[in-house]
């Protein structure tokens, strides 16, 4: 029975491609990494020092499973300020990364046979967890013509009496698209009439370039929304493993039990570093965002100059999702050839769902010099090897 359940559990192709790229590097090959989604900046110094000081001060033991009160309060204050909401710290839980809340959010709300609507192309863990829980995944296509968004009608067509959860992601991985306020207003009206939970994945909420962040939770649905955020992207803290979520009151106790049964608690020194991140200076965060914007503009311009490639400008995160259908190659084959022949590690759009065919995902969390080198290598391959 366990083996059958594990067969339903998917993976993240980014880590598989990273391993393959590292193997090539071990053989002496030069590889430019545009596959993995993590900032290439150091964690801000004051955050590192706060974590180190916490260890020196003896914060090396168990702590409450829901999280340290000081961090839960800081998270609630940040969400209230940044989202324009009133968040009760008692409804904020902390975990080692954001993924546990995706996993536990589905497990706490869905039974086998329930339907879960999720964005496609989208973060692959959504579909993986839905299937593992025995629920039925219902993909919501993100359309390039809309800047990789969807319409309220698209969502309405997929809502049924069996819909138990709707997953939203803005800014989005892998496309960099966003759910704009006008669309959230429509979604709010639509879901107000439907009895389901919402999981709003907002881990890239502070990596926006041309728009203001808007959350579905601010449109009358806070009491039904799992509002998910974390420290990995905003503060370059991927290896610290620290995430949090503001939960509907009814889900606080069951998800706390899931935390106790799985991770016990989140390392207290890491949590105290999180307090420093949320309450300390934002200079390094702003510098990182400005540099990401510069890279975004460069990579979009460079991709649009390649034969057979077109790329819309993403509004958030640090990914581009270029259309490569005019190259005549399936996305997976092209991604493989780019790694093997050009030394450029990227992901096929199909790693993010069926509606990713014809696209690649590139992370611009790499230096501008490396991005320019990668574009030159891609041009060489596309001009010499790909039929047009």
């Amino acid at each position: 029975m366990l083996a059958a359940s594990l067969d339903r559990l998917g993976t993240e192709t980014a880590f598989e491609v990273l391993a393959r790229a590292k193997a090539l590097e071990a053989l002496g090959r030069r590889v430019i990494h545009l596959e993995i989604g993590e900032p290439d900046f150091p964690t801000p110094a004051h955050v590192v020092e706060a974590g180190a000081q916490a260890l020196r001060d003896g914060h090396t033991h168990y702590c409450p499973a829901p999280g340290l009160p000081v961090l839960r309060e800081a998270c609630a204050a940040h969400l209230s300020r940044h989202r324009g909401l009133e968040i009760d710290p008692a409804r904020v839980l902390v975990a080692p990364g954001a993924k546990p809340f995706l996993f536990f959010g589905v497990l706490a709300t869905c039974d086998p046979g329930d339907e879960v609507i999720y964005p496609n192309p989208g973060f692959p863990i959504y579909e993986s967890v839905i299937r593992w829980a025995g629920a039925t995944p219902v993909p919501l296509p993100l359309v390039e013509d809309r800047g990789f968004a969807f319409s309220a009608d698209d969502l309405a067509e997929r809502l049924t009496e069996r819909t138990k959860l709707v997953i939203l992601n803005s800014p989005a991985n892998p496309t960099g698209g966003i759910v704009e306020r006008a669309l959230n207003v429509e979604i709010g009206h639509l879901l107000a009439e439907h009895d389901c939970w919402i999981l709003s994945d907002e881990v890239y909420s502070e990596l926006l370039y041309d728009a203001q962040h808007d959350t579905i939770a601010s449109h009358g649905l806070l009491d039904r929304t799992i509002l998910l955020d974390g420290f990995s992207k905003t503060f370059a803290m991927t290896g610290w493993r620290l995430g949090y979520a503001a939960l509907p009151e009814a889900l606080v106790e069951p998800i706390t039990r899931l935390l106790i049964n799985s991770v016990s608690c989140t390392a207290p020194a890491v949590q105290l570093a999180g307090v420093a991140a949320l309450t300390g200076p934002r200079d390094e965060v702003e510098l990182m965002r400005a540099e990401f914007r510069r890279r975004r503009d460069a990579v979009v311009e460079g991709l649009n100059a390649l034969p057979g490639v077109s790329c819309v400008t993403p509004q958030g995160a640090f990914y581009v999702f270029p259309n490569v259908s005019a190259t005549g190659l399936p996305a997976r084959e092209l991604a493989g050839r780019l790694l093997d022949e050009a030394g450029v590690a990227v992901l096929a759009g199909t790693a993010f769902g069926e509606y990713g065919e014809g696209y690649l995902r590139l992370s611009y969390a790499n230096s501008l010099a490396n991005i320019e080198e990668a574009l030159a290598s891609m041009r060489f391959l596309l001009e010499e090897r790909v039929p047009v």
Side-chain angles (χ1 to χ4, degrees):
M1 186 66 180
L2 176 60
S5 297
L6 288 176
D7 285 343
R8 298 198 302 269
L9 201 59
T11 186
E12 274 194 75
T13 305
F15 288 100
E16 295 175 349
V17 174
L18 176 63
R20 191 166 153 223
K22 291 291 187 182
L24 289 174
E25 287 178 318
L27 297 174
R29 289 281 305 279
R30 160 82 168 150
V31 177
I32 299 174
H33 293 274
L34 304 182
E35 82 281 25
I36 200 71
E38 70 169 343
D40 59 316
F41 298 87
T43 303
H46 72 282
V47 177
V48 175
E49 178 54 31
Q53 186 61 51
L55 291 171
R56 289 192 291 266
D57 290 343
H59 294 281
T60 57
H61 301 280
Y62 288 131
C63 66
L68 295 174
V70 65
L71 179 58
R72 297 171 74 189
E73 290 166 5
C75 291
H78 172 71
L79 289 176
S80 298
R81 180 174 60 253
H82 190 252
R83 307 304 201 276
L85 297 167
E86 288 296 326
I87 303 290
D88 182 353
R91 291 170 56 172
V92 174
L93 299 184
V94 178
K99 275 182 183 172
F101 292 113
L102 298 179
F103 218 111
F104 299 157
V106 173
L107 292 179
T109 59
C110 297
D111 293 315
D114 288 338
E115 293 179 351
V116 180
I117 299 173
Y118 70 102
N120 187 312
F123 187 43
I125 301 305
Y126 301 149
E127 183 176 350
S128 171
V129 173
I130 294 164
R131 290 190 183 281
W132 191 83
T136 301
V138 179
L140 177 63
L142 304 183
V143 181
E144 181 181 357
D145 290 346
R146 295 194 183 102
F148 293 108
F150 57 92
S151 71
D153 287 341
D154 294 332
L155 178 58
E157 289 173 4
R158 289 161 176 79
L159 286 169
T160 73
E161 292 182 355
R162 294 171 60 196
T163 303
K164 198 65 172 291
L165 178 67
V166 174
I167 298 176
L168 303 173
N169 177 210
S170 179
N173 176 13
T175 66
I178 64 171
V179 179
E180 296 182 337
R181 179 175 178 80
L183 178 54
N184 268 335
V185 170
E186 294 184 75
I187 295 171
H189 291 313
L190 177 64
L191 295 184
E193 303 301 320
H194 195 92
D195 184 20
C196 66
W197 301 101
I198 302 118
L199 192 156
S200 187
D201 181 350
E202 303 180 16
V203 297
Y204 295 95
S205 63
E206 295 191 62
L207 289 173
L208 278 160
Y209 309 105
D210 304 304
Q212 295 294 316
H213 182 65
D214 189 70
T215 177
I216 189 62
S218 67
H219 297 274
L221 296 171
L222 177 61
D223 290 340
R224 290 165 48 194
T225 300
I226 301 169
L227 200 167
L228 174 61
D229 208 330
F231 294 79
S232 291
K233 315 303 182 180
T234 301
F235 299 103
M237 293 176 67
T238 52
W240 294 73
R241 308 314 304 138
L242 186 60
Y244 61 98
L247 304 174
E249 187 175 356
L251 296 181
V252 171
E253 191 276 335
I255 291 183
T256 298
R257 274 189 285 129
L258 286 166
L259 286 168
I260 292 169
N261 276 270
S262 57
V263 300
S264 296
C265 65
T266 304
V270 170
Q271 293 190 55
L272 291 171
V275 174
L278 288 178
T279 61
R282 292 294 183 104
D283 302 26
E284 292 176 72
V285 172
E286 294 304 323
L287 287 171
M288 183 172 69
R289 180 163 47 201
E291 178 60 18
F292 277 144
R293 181 177 189 136
R294 191 164 74 103
R295 296 175 187 178
R296 179 202 65 168
D297 294 344
V299 75
V300 169
E301 181 181 359
L303 286 168
N304 280 318
L306 297 180
V309 179
S310 63
C311 184
V312 300
T313 301
Q315 296 194 61
F318 39 68
Y319 308 111
V320 285
F321 205 63
N323 188 325
V324 295
S325 56
T327 65
L329 289 176
R332 186 178 180 85
E333 180 180 345
L334 179 55
R337 291 178 65 173
L338 284 169
L339 177 57
D340 294 334
E341 301 174 29
V344 180
V346 302
L347 299 181
T350 47
F352 303 92
E354 60 188 296
Y355 294 102
E357 181 57 79
Y359 296 89
L360 298 177
R361 191 197 80 171
L362 285 68
S363 166
Y364 48 89
N366 204 326
S367 70
L368 190 56
N370 282 341
I371 288 170
E372 290 172 345
E373 182 183 345
L375 289 167
S377 297
M378 293 173 71
R379 173 175 289 281
F380 179 80
L381 183 144
L382 291 170
E383 288 179 342
E384 297 294 326
R385 311 276 185 111
V386 176
V388 292

